[in-house]
Amino acid sequence: MTLATWLGFFTACILVSISPGAGAINTMSSASRFGLIKTLPSILGLQVGLLIHILIISIGLGALLAASEHAFTIIKWAGVAYLIWLGIQKWRESPEPDTINTHASTWKLKPQLLKAVLVNLTNPKAIVFLGALLPQFINPNQPAAPQIFLLAITMITVDMIVMVGFALLAGQLQSFISTKRHIILQNRLFGSLFIGAGGLLASWKA
């Protein structure tokens, strides 16, 4: 792989990562409640989901999913349902100001990580998109495995950095969440964004 090819992929990764999506919404929602450090498992979970997508594409299942309308539909509607469920849960979160500290004290790494993994895994759009993107940067005259490894490391690193940026930005909201009204507004904002992301996924066709 040439440096020019890698730089092209690196640029594409930046553009993809900064585009608003369910992963960014999940990261910002968590960071606005728990802060950056306790949002890191969510960011890691997104990368686990992304890595699984890349592995699926590498063994050829991405093309199968893109070609199978039935399989695509099943995963798509599972993703739609999950995002809408997350949105409803966010709307129903307790608006009491003191629950911020309560949630922080009962925070668990595993649920945050698993939730983020599912956010990425239930997005068939990601598989189809990556399935179209990755092959454009792979030289068929060179061994595929080292190239895929380099592309995967590049994409995951870029996405992690961008998600940390989103988390830092959303973390600033913590200083403004001091009243019941502010918490209600924040919960409804992120709840609506999750539901909106589910609606966009529902309208998307492979």
Side-chain angles (χ1 to χ4, degrees), residues 2-26:
T2 65
L3 177 60
T5 298
W6 180 83
L7 287 174
F9 182 75
F10 176 72
T11 301
C13 288
I14 294 175
L15 295 175
V16 170
S17 293
I18 64 176
S19 300
I25 295 170
N26 184 70

mmCIF file of all heavy atoms in Angstrom, residues 2-26:
data_model
loop_
_atom_site.group_PDB
_atom_site.id
_atom_site.type_symbol
_atom_site.label_atom_id
_atom_site.label_comp_id
_atom_site.label_asym_id
_atom_site.label_seq_id
_atom_site.Cartn_x
_atom_site.Cartn_y
_atom_site.Cartn_z
ATOM 1 N N THR A 2 0.602 2.151 -0.918
ATOM 2 C CA THR A 2 1.397 3.373 -1.002
ATOM 3 C C THR A 2 0.953 4.379 0.053
ATOM 4 O O THR A 2 -0.152 4.296 0.605
ATOM 5 C CB THR A 2 1.254 4.017 -2.385
ATOM 6 O OG1 THR A 2 -0.105 4.452 -2.565
ATOM 7 C CG2 THR A 2 1.622 3.032 -3.490
ATOM 8 N N LEU A 3 1.827 5.351 0.302
ATOM 9 C CA LEU A 3 1.509 6.397 1.272
ATOM 10 C C LEU A 3 0.302 7.204 0.803
ATOM 11 O O LEU A 3 -0.561 7.567 1.618
ATOM 12 C CB LEU A 3 2.715 7.323 1.458
ATOM 13 C CG LEU A 3 2.510 8.517 2.409
ATOM 14 C CD1 LEU A 3 2.154 8.032 3.805
ATOM 15 C CD2 LEU A 3 3.768 9.381 2.432
ATOM 16 N N ALA A 4 0.218 7.465 -0.484
ATOM 17 C CA ALA A 4 -0.910 8.233 -1.022
ATOM 18 C C ALA A 4 -2.229 7.508 -0.795
ATOM 19 O O ALA A 4 -3.242 8.123 -0.436
ATOM 20 C CB ALA A 4 -0.690 8.494 -2.513
ATOM 21 N N THR A 5 -2.207 6.186 -0.980
ATOM 22 C CA THR A 5 -3.430 5.392 -0.756
ATOM 23 C C THR A 5 -3.832 5.448 0.716
ATOM 24 O O THR A 5 -5.007 5.623 1.041
ATOM 25 C CB THR A 5 -3.190 3.924 -1.171
ATOM 26 O OG1 THR A 5 -2.880 3.878 -2.564
ATOM 27 C CG2 THR A 5 -4.436 3.086 -0.915
ATOM 28 N N TRP A 6 -2.833 5.298 1.588
ATOM 29 C CA TRP A 6 -3.138 5.335 3.016
ATOM 30 C C TRP A 6 -3.680 6.703 3.434
ATOM 31 O O TRP A 6 -4.622 6.793 4.213
ATOM 32 C CB TRP A 6 -1.891 5.006 3.836
ATOM 33 C CG TRP A 6 -2.159 5.040 5.312
ATOM 34 C CD1 TRP A 6 -2.702 4.039 6.071
ATOM 35 C CD2 TRP A 6 -1.948 6.150 6.191
ATOM 36 N NE1 TRP A 6 -2.836 4.453 7.380
ATOM 37 C CE2 TRP A 6 -2.382 5.744 7.485
ATOM 38 C CE3 TRP A 6 -1.435 7.419 6.027
ATOM 39 C CZ2 TRP A 6 -2.312 6.579 8.588
ATOM 40 C CZ3 TRP A 6 -1.366 8.260 7.128
ATOM 41 C CH2 TRP A 6 -1.796 7.849 8.384
ATOM 42 N N LEU A 7 -3.088 7.772 2.920
ATOM 43 C CA LEU A 7 -3.547 9.117 3.256
ATOM 44 C C LEU A 7 -4.983 9.343 2.765
ATOM 45 O O LEU A 7 -5.783 10.006 3.433
ATOM 46 C CB LEU A 7 -2.627 10.168 2.648
ATOM 47 C CG LEU A 7 -1.244 10.310 3.309
ATOM 48 C CD1 LEU A 7 -0.370 11.288 2.523
ATOM 49 C CD2 LEU A 7 -1.394 10.771 4.759
ATOM 50 N N GLY A 8 -5.300 8.764 1.617
ATOM 51 C CA GLY A 8 -6.671 8.859 1.117
ATOM 52 C C GLY A 8 -7.643 8.162 2.046
ATOM 53 O O GLY A 8 -8.726 8.683 2.342
ATOM 54 N N PHE A 9 -7.257 6.987 2.518
ATOM 55 C CA PHE A 9 -8.111 6.250 3.447
ATOM 56 C C PHE A 9 -8.212 6.983 4.782
ATOM 57 O O PHE A 9 -9.288 7.054 5.385
ATOM 58 C CB PHE A 9 -7.552 4.843 3.667
ATOM 59 C CG PHE A 9 -8.394 3.991 4.563
ATOM 60 C CD1 PHE A 9 -9.586 3.442 4.120
ATOM 61 C CD2 PHE A 9 -7.995 3.741 5.878
ATOM 62 C CE1 PHE A 9 -10.374 2.667 4.955
ATOM 63 C CE2 PHE A 9 -8.768 2.966 6.715
ATOM 64 C CZ PHE A 9 -9.963 2.430 6.251
ATOM 65 N N PHE A 10 -7.088 7.527 5.244
ATOM 66 C CA PHE A 10 -7.065 8.276 6.499
ATOM 67 C C PHE A 10 -8.036 9.454 6.436
ATOM 68 O O PHE A 10 -8.808 9.703 7.375
ATOM 69 C CB PHE A 10 -5.640 8.773 6.753
ATOM 70 C CG PHE A 10 -5.481 9.640 7.966
ATOM 71 C CD1 PHE A 10 -5.552 9.101 9.248
ATOM 72 C CD2 PHE A 10 -5.273 11.009 7.838
ATOM 73 C CE1 PHE A 10 -5.414 9.907 10.372
ATOM 74 C CE2 PHE A 10 -5.120 11.819 8.948
ATOM 75 C CZ PHE A 10 -5.198 11.267 10.224
ATOM 76 N N THR A 11 -8.043 10.159 5.328
ATOM 77 C CA THR A 11 -8.959 11.289 5.146
ATOM 78 C C THR A 11 -10.410 10.816 5.148
ATOM 79 O O THR A 11 -11.279 11.436 5.766
ATOM 80 C CB THR A 11 -8.652 12.016 3.824
ATOM 81 O OG1 THR A 11 -7.303 12.474 3.833
ATOM 82 C CG2 THR A 11 -9.592 13.206 3.636
ATOM 83 N N ALA A 12 -10.650 9.700 4.460
ATOM 84 C CA ALA A 12 -12.008 9.148 4.424
ATOM 85 C C ALA A 12 -12.475 8.764 5.825
ATOM 86 O O ALA A 12 -13.641 8.987 6.187
ATOM 87 C CB ALA A 12 -12.055 7.931 3.501
ATOM 88 N N CYS A 13 -11.573 8.197 6.621
ATOM 89 C CA CYS A 13 -11.923 7.802 7.996
ATOM 90 C C CYS A 13 -12.332 9.007 8.837
ATOM 91 O O CYS A 13 -13.286 8.944 9.622
ATOM 92 C CB CYS A 13 -10.745 7.096 8.652
ATOM 93 S SG CYS A 13 -10.412 5.445 8.031
ATOM 94 N N ILE A 14 -11.607 10.106 8.683
ATOM 95 C CA ILE A 14 -11.935 11.320 9.434
ATOM 96 C C ILE A 14 -13.329 11.809 9.067
ATOM 97 O O ILE A 14 -14.155 12.125 9.945
ATOM 98 C CB ILE A 14 -10.892 12.421 9.166
ATOM 99 C CG1 ILE A 14 -9.533 12.014 9.726
ATOM 100 C CG2 ILE A 14 -11.346 13.748 9.790
ATOM 101 C CD1 ILE A 14 -8.420 12.985 9.400
ATOM 102 N N LEU A 15 -13.618 11.850 7.775
ATOM 103 C CA LEU A 15 -14.917 12.333 7.311
ATOM 104 C C LEU A 15 -16.051 11.436 7.802
ATOM 105 O O LEU A 15 -17.106 11.921 8.220
ATOM 106 C CB LEU A 15 -14.929 12.409 5.784
ATOM 107 C CG LEU A 15 -13.972 13.438 5.166
ATOM 108 C CD1 LEU A 15 -13.994 13.339 3.648
ATOM 109 C CD2 LEU A 15 -14.334 14.849 5.614
ATOM 110 N N VAL A 16 -15.802 10.116 7.767
ATOM 111 C CA VAL A 16 -16.831 9.167 8.231
ATOM 112 C C VAL A 16 -17.066 9.323 9.733
ATOM 113 O O VAL A 16 -18.201 9.338 10.206
ATOM 114 C CB VAL A 16 -16.414 7.719 7.897
ATOM 115 C CG1 VAL A 16 -17.347 6.730 8.593
ATOM 116 C CG2 VAL A 16 -16.440 7.497 6.396
ATOM 117 N N SER A 17 -15.985 9.455 10.498
ATOM 118 C CA SER A 17 -16.100 9.501 11.962
ATOM 119 C C SER A 17 -16.782 10.764 12.464
ATOM 120 O O SER A 17 -17.531 10.730 13.440
ATOM 121 C CB SER A 17 -14.715 9.371 12.607
ATOM 122 O OG SER A 17 -14.171 8.096 12.379
ATOM 123 N N ILE A 18 -16.518 11.902 11.802
ATOM 124 C CA ILE A 18 -17.110 13.157 12.285
ATOM 125 C C ILE A 18 -18.545 13.329 11.809
ATOM 126 O O ILE A 18 -19.249 14.226 12.282
ATOM 127 C CB ILE A 18 -16.279 14.384 11.856
ATOM 128 C CG1 ILE A 18 -16.255 14.527 10.336
ATOM 129 C CG2 ILE A 18 -14.873 14.301 12.421
ATOM 130 C CD1 ILE A 18 -15.519 15.775 9.859
ATOM 131 N N SER A 19 -18.985 12.475 10.887
ATOM 132 C CA SER A 19 -20.381 12.539 10.453
ATOM 133 C C SER A 19 -21.280 12.084 11.600
ATOM 134 O O SER A 19 -21.044 11.020 12.186
ATOM 135 C CB SER A 19 -20.603 11.636 9.233
ATOM 136 O OG SER A 19 -19.787 12.033 8.158
ATOM 137 N N PRO A 20 -22.306 12.862 11.942
ATOM 138 C CA PRO A 20 -23.191 12.490 13.059
ATOM 139 C C PRO A 20 -23.847 11.131 12.812
ATOM 140 O O PRO A 20 -24.296 10.832 11.715
ATOM 141 C CB PRO A 20 -24.234 13.612 13.053
ATOM 142 C CG PRO A 20 -23.569 14.755 12.362
ATOM 143 C CD PRO A 20 -22.674 14.137 11.322
ATOM 144 N N GLY A 21 -23.853 10.319 13.827
ATOM 145 C CA GLY A 21 -24.471 9.000 13.727
ATOM 146 C C GLY A 21 -24.806 8.470 15.103
ATOM 147 O O GLY A 21 -24.594 9.151 16.115
ATOM 148 N N ALA A 22 -25.309 7.239 15.155
ATOM 149 C CA ALA A 22 -25.718 6.650 16.429
ATOM 150 C C ALA A 22 -24.542 6.525 17.394
ATOM 151 O O ALA A 22 -24.711 6.697 18.610
ATOM 152 C CB ALA A 22 -26.346 5.280 16.183
ATOM 153 N N GLY A 23 -23.354 6.225 16.870
ATOM 154 C CA GLY A 23 -22.181 6.100 17.740
ATOM 155 C C GLY A 23 -21.836 7.408 18.424
ATOM 156 O O GLY A 23 -21.558 7.447 19.624
ATOM 157 N N ALA A 24 -21.870 8.495 17.661
ATOM 158 C CA ALA A 24 -21.581 9.813 18.233
ATOM 159 C C ALA A 24 -22.642 10.208 19.255
ATOM 160 O O ALA A 24 -22.322 10.768 20.313
ATOM 161 C CB ALA A 24 -21.510 10.857 17.119
ATOM 162 N N ILE A 25 -23.900 9.901 18.945
ATOM 163 C CA ILE A 25 -24.985 10.221 19.880
ATOM 164 C C ILE A 25 -24.806 9.454 21.186
ATOM 165 O O ILE A 25 -24.956 10.001 22.283
ATOM 166 C CB ILE A 25 -26.357 9.889 19.256
ATOM 167 C CG1 ILE A 25 -26.610 10.795 18.042
ATOM 168 C CG2 ILE A 25 -27.478 10.056 20.286
ATOM 169 C CD1 ILE A 25 -27.815 10.383 17.222
ATOM 170 N N ASN A 26 -24.473 8.161 21.072
ATOM 171 C CA ASN A 26 -24.268 7.336 22.264
ATOM 172 C C ASN A 26 -23.115 7.867 23.104
ATOM 173 O O ASN A 26 -23.202 7.941 24.336
ATOM 174 C CB ASN A 26 -23.988 5.893 21.844
ATOM 175 C CG ASN A 26 -23.870 4.957 23.021
ATOM 176 O OD1 ASN A 26 -24.848 4.661 23.704
ATOM 177 N ND2 ASN A 26 -22.666 4.487 23.287
#
